[in-house]
Amino acid sequence: AVVSTQSTGTPLVEVGVTGKAVGVDVTVSPNILHNLGSCEVGSTTSTTILLANNNTSPLQFNFSKIAHFTISPSSGRIGAGEEMPIEISFCPSQFGSFSKKIQLDILGIGNFITDTNDDAEPKVIAQGKLKVLKRINIQVKGVCKVSNLNKHTKLEDIKTGARKQTKFDMYSSIRPSND
């Protein structure tokens, strides 16, 4: 790196900089399509995945939010060499088949570290901002089914919450007069 000043006539200072790039080694297992099966509106099905931090330093993580699926924990910190179970739940609020990608962001801070040239620990001299170091997409699928309906129930009535009025309903709203 070359450092200079705004004033003219000031000599340039040349500084040698060395560094080491370290990749982010995080695994999700199983890393396949997670089919959470089928359930009804208001019900939930779940599966558990394992998030492993294979690095020598802790990392932060954050899962994206998507309709009909929840992640627990949805964000947090995982220590170096640790594994953490993550629960993915399918909790539909409408009927249909849902196939989505949940985005897992591994977050970290870029540090600038001095080279000690001895056995002492390296010293952090500057820290960067929190940023996405790695992004992993996790494919999930779930089906919300209709069940326990009689053959006269219409799908539009289910979606709106409406129901057909019966003879009992018509007469139950009639009150005797006080005459």
Side-chain angles (χ1 to χ4, degrees):
V2 176
V3 179
S4 65
T5 63
Q6 294 288 348
S7 59
T8 58
T10 304
L12 296 177
V13 178
E14 198 169 304
V15 179
V17 178
T18 60
K20 180 180 177 183
V22 179
V24 177
D25 186 7
V26 175
T27 55
V28 175
S29 60
N31 192 11
I32 56 171
L33 168 67
H34 299 279
N35 187 346
L36 282 94
S38 62
C39 65
E40 300 173 19
V41 170
S43 297
T44 301
T45 63
S46 299
T47 189
T48 302
I49 61 173
L50 196 61
L51 178 63
N53 178 2
N54 305 312
N55 294 288
T56 57
S57 59
L59 294 171
Q60 289 180 291
F61 65 91
N62 185 50
F63 286 92
S64 62
K65 294 180 181 180
I66 59 171
H68 310 293
F69 294 90
T70 59
I71 311 293
S72 182
S74 61
S75 62
R77 179 182 166 103
I78 183 169
E82 291 182 0
E83 294 180 338
M84 180 181 290
I86 306 288
E87 184 177 45
I88 302 174
S89 299
F90 175 56
C91 40
S93 59
Q94 69 185 49
F95 301 104
S97 179
F98 304 94
S99 182
K100 305 280 185 176
K101 284 184 183 175
I102 297 174
Q103 199 170 313
L104 166 61
D105 288 338
I106 304 300
L107 309 169
I109 297 175
N111 293 331
F112 300 99
I113 302 174
T114 60
D115 184 9
T116 59
N117 289 331
D118 57 19
D119 292 336
E121 287 291 315
K123 180 181 176 186
V124 175
I125 58 172
Q127 287 191 340
K129 294 181 179 181
L130 192 65
K131 62 182 181 177
V132 176
L133 301 177
K134 186 173 186 174
R135 182 164 283 159
I136 300 169
N137 288 316
I138 301 168
Q139 186 73 34
V140 292
K141 182 179 180 180
V143 176
C144 182
K145 63 181 181 175
V146 179
S147 67
N148 299 330
L149 301 175
N150 65 41
K151 61 183 177 181
H152 302 292
T153 305
K154 295 181 182 176
L155 186 57
E156 64 192 42
D157 292 339
I158 296 166
K159 288 181 181 177
T160 63
R163 66 183 183 97
K164 193 173 182 178
Q165 192 174 31
T166 66
K167 286 183 183 180
F168 177 78
D169 292 332
M170 287 187 275
Y171 294 119
S172 66
S173 62
I174 299 173
R175 294 194 170 101
S177 66
N178 292 332
D179 295 332

